[in-house]
Amino acid sequence: MKKLMKLMCVFALVFVAGCGASSSTDEQKEVVTNFFDYVKECDITKLKKVASEDVLSGMDLEKMEKELSQYTEEEYGKVFVDETNKFKKAIFKDLFTDIKIKDIKADGDKTTVKVTGKQKDYSQVSFDQSELNTTAQQYVEEHQDELAKVYKEEGLSAYQIKVYDGIAPILYQSMTETYKNAPTEKLTATFTLEKKNDKWIITGIDE
């Protein structure tokens, strides 16, 4: 019986040691996985919980999100807002693909995680007010009589929303194609994570 108990204790020690070793970097891996999931979801609030401000500002993710979110105000009307949100989700979803975690090295309160995959290069693509104004002007010229009637019967606000309703499909179809055709590049990056306040945070990304 004593031999059996000793044997069981040995098994227990091996099991505990094995579990500790296998899970030592699970949290860091989860943080990196969550980072890419939150990018796909276009969720800047959640991204700020797993990555430092320096990391996010360096990637211009928040800037991209803010540029598009300005067109989700009530003044643009439901159709335009819905099209904006759909477009925003689409481009963030395609930003990173085929992501694989290749190697994790932990050293105290610092861990490096090597990642491979593909990424879209949106650096030469922008969404600005001038493109919106050009599309709106063209739409107004082509629908003068219809818009004049709306303005006369329902007022300026209804007139503006009618314009936005009309240009939303045209504008975002063009923008979607532009972003879809942006070049795809190979991604090889090393994420640096540091433990702060008992939580792992991405503090650097080197490509």
Side-chain angles (χ1 to χ4, degrees), residues 29-45:
K29 181 179 180 180
E30 183 179 9
V31 169
V32 175
T33 301
N34 286 342
F35 173 84
F36 287 106
D37 288 342
Y38 298 157
V39 170
K40 284 182 178 291
E41 296 167 8
C42 189
D43 196 325
I44 300 299
T45 300

Side-chain angles (χ1 to χ4, degrees), residues 37-90:
D37 288 342
Y38 298 157
V39 170
K40 284 182 178 291
E41 296 167 8
C42 189
D43 196 325
I44 300 299
T45 300
K46 288 183 178 178
L47 278 169
K48 287 181 176 180
K49 294 179 179 179
V50 298
S52 68
E53 288 289 341
D54 288 343
V55 168
L56 295 181
S57 62
M59 298 179 67
D60 285 337
L61 293 175
E62 190 169 10
K63 180 182 177 182
M64 286 174 61
E65 197 274 339
K66 281 184 177 180
E67 285 181 354
L68 289 166
S69 290
Q70 66 180 310
Y71 301 106
T72 60
E73 300 295 332
E74 187 177 341
E75 64 186 272
Y76 290 99
K78 186 178 185 304
V79 173
F80 197 90
V81 169
D82 287 348
E83 289 292 327
T84 300
N85 284 326
K86 185 165 64 175
F87 171 73
K88 183 168 64 173
K89 288 178 180 179

Side-chain angles (χ1 to χ4, degrees), residues 115-143:
V115 173
T116 62
K118 298 176 183 178
Q119 64 178 349
K120 282 283 190 179
D121 180 10
Y122 292 152
S123 62
Q124 302 303 315
V125 184
S126 63
F127 181 77
D128 55 39
Q129 189 71 34
S130 62
E131 186 162 1
L132 174 61
N133 291 340
T134 300
T135 305
Q137 183 178 355
Q138 184 178 351
Y139 180 84
V140 169
E141 290 173 355
E142 294 174 354
H143 298 82

Side-chain angles (χ1 to χ4, degrees), residues 144-156 158-159:
Q144 287 184 4
D145 293 342
E146 180 184 356
L147 292 170
K149 183 179 179 182
V150 171
Y151 180 79
K152 182 178 180 180
E153 296 178 356
E154 303 178 46
L156 178 60
Y159 167 87

Side-chain angles (χ1 to χ4, degrees), residues 8-9 13 21 61 102 112 122 128 132 144 155 157 175 180 187 202:
M8 290 179 67
C9 287
L13 288 171
L61 293 175
K102 293 294 186 179
T112 56
Y122 292 152
D128 55 39
L132 174 61
Q144 287 184 4
S157 179
M175 292 294 294
K180 185 178 179 181
L187 171 67
I202 299 168

Side-chain angles (χ1 to χ4, degrees), residues 18-19 23-24 30 100 127 154 157 160 162 170 179 195:
C19 288
S23 61
S24 63
E30 183 179 9
K100 293 180 177 62
F127 181 77
E154 303 178 46
S157 179
Q160 291 175 329
K162 180 69 175 176
I170 303 168
Y179 274 89
K195 200 165 193 178

